[in-house]
């Protein structure tokens, strides 16, 4: 659904993307959890629904569609482990770099052209 390198250029994109995905997926039922694996090469995310029937409807409609030029592969989760940011982990250096990039991006947003 995305290319991980996109988040380096625009740190706020991860939040926007999660909101867009949630809005689209909520058309099929109540979403109880959405995880965007921002470090996965595949551009993976998982969506958990309150009802199984909602997940099946989502898969049926979204599988094969295109989102931002990427073809969606929607399926039941098979247990594959995907990578996501080190937020909340012991990787202090990676978190510090991410925060530095975010602060830089915020500063750039406030400057008039």
């Amino acid at each position: 659904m995305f290319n991980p390198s996109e988040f380096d250029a625009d740190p706020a994109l991860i939040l926007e993307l999660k909101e867009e995905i949630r809005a689209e997926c909520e058309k099929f039922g109540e979403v109880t959890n959405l995880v965007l694996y921002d470090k996965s090469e595949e551009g993976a995310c998982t969506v958990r629904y309150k009802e199984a029937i909602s997940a099946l409807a989502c898969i049926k409609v979204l599988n094969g569609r295109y989102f931002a030029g990427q073809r969606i592969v929607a399926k039941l989760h098979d247990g594959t482990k995907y990578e996501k940011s080190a937020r909340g982990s012991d990787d202090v250096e990676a978190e510090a770099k991410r925060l530095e990039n975010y602060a830089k991006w915020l500063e750039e947003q406030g400057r008039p052209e």
Side-chain angles (χ1 to χ4, degrees):
M1 300 215 35
F2 59 89
N3 184 325
S5 64
E6 296 173 39
F7 302 123
D8 295 335
D10 184 357
L13 180 62
I14 191 168
L15 298 174
E16 293 173 27
L17 186 57
K18 282 181 79 168
E19 288 176 17
E20 285 182 41
I21 293 169
R22 180 176 290 276
E24 186 66 25
C25 291
E26 284 179 339
K27 294 176 181 176
F28 307 103
E30 184 180 339
V31 173
T32 59
N33 190 25
L34 188 145
V35 178
L36 197 135
Y37 297 93
D38 58 327
K39 297 294 182 186
S40 73
E41 298 276 331
E42 301 88 354
C45 72
T46 56
V47 180
R48 179 172 294 197
Y49 285 95
K50 183 175 182 180
E51 304 286 334
I53 192 77
S54 299
L56 296 174
C58 179
I59 290 168
K60 184 176 181 176
V61 173
L62 294 184
N63 190 45
R65 279 184 43 189
Y66 284 84
F67 178 80
Q70 304 272 350
R71 185 168 186 265
I72 298 172
V73 176
K75 61 183 181 177
L76 291 176
H77 189 255
D78 60 5
T80 301
K81 302 287 183 188
Y82 298 104
E83 291 184 58
K84 63 181 182 175
S85 291
R87 282 174 280 221
S89 77
D90 294 333
D91 192 351
V92 176
E93 186 176 312
E95 179 67 1
K97 181 67 175 166
R98 186 189 71 77
L99 289 173
E100 179 183 311
N101 288 341
Y102 184 66
K104 187 181 206 180
W105 178 83
L106 283 174
E107 289 176 4
E108 291 170 356
Q109 298 308 304
R111 294 184 187 154
E113 304 247 346

